[in-house]
Amino acid sequence: MSSCLFFCGKLLSSSSPATGLLRCHWALRSVRSVSTTEEKNARVVTLKNGSDSLVICRIINGMWQTSGGWGTIDSDAAVEAMLSHADAGLTSFDMSNHYGPAEDLYGFFINRVRRERPPEFLEEIKGLTKWVPSPVKMTSNYVRDSINTSLKRMNVASLDMLQFHWWDYSNSGYLDALKHLADLKEEGKIKTLGLTNFDTERLQIILDNGIPIVSNQVQHSVIDMRPQKKMAELCRLTGVKLITYGTVMGGLLSEKFLNVDSSSPSSGPTLNTPSLQKYKRMVDAWGSWSLFQVLLQTLKNIASKHGVSIPSVAVRYVLNQESVAGSMVGVRLGLSEHIKDTCAILSLDLDEEDMSSITEVSMKGRDLLKAIGDCGDEYR
């Protein structure tokens, strides 16, 4: 009997039938054979800096959509949706202290996991939150109080990852904040430290100050290739990895917008969410709507070849970049779901022709590093 079947048998014999079958499903999903393709398309990846490490799913459930503007969130339905994502193998969740109820929802969710799933399943669940402080003096007590608030809301003893954002580089208080966060990490309140929307220059300064950063969360898509211009080289030299958001551009990179005439608003879907509006501005900065249609058709051709969707191809392309550890896919918890399409990303194997075709169209647009600046500069 294989170790997987043996494990499932033990779970079934020591559990109720329903719980045992659930655990068996989880065990079967977790065991992987080793091959070049399997390694390339692995479900999880390890973020590391020195002795700090964190295993996350390469597809991360993004919870910005809980902050308002996408529809009213029902907490019970949202938690059920989080359980469905986790049961499908999508076990990492990204949130922030300023994403409305996101941290609270994670707290409700993790309690359900503790009660209703086996301990080994709980170990796979990862909650990555952000701290976006106001530009006040970064004292030890202020930083500690802020982290304690997230710990309480998320109902955990230690944050799996704290990703830090700073609005104004002219205020060097970000280094004070990060040093206090590193102290809290040593105390066990935080397991790993990451950044969000920091540029290459500041990432280098932070690393030079001895802060053990494992990742930087940045905007990155087939249109926004800025992270590959400068940031990727520093990542290669230091081992810091990228977590990407905006990778499906709020849904613009999808069949829904293929063959839509932007000159006739009534001819296609409305840009009725904050993310669609945000990333339409990014399309405009990159190139024309007609060029965007060429990109969508290219992605559609590749998607049809592999039997997947446009968003799956768009995310896989970014995940194939050496510097990228994981990519965010936004979740409208309890309102809509695309678990099947999201899971398809992990087994999708784009060949060299696929990658080259996408790169060729992407490079026809403007260089956004020159047009906007480095990673995160659009926020400053």
Side-chain angles (χ1 to χ4, degrees), residues 47 79 84 101 147 170 190 243 248 256 258 262 271 294 306 313-314:
L47 304 173
V79 171
S84 296
I147 298 310
S170 67
I190 299 169
I243 294 174
V248 296
K256 183 185 292 187
L258 179 63
S262 69
L271 304 178
V294 173
H306 292 280
V313 174

Side-chain angles (χ1 to χ4, degrees), residues 158-175:
S158 179
L159 300 177
D160 292 321
M161 180 186 287
L162 190 284
Q163 302 166 103
F164 176 69
H165 176 87
W166 192 252
W167 295 107
D168 182 8
Y169 292 147
S170 67
N171 179 349
S172 62
Y174 68 89
L175 289 173

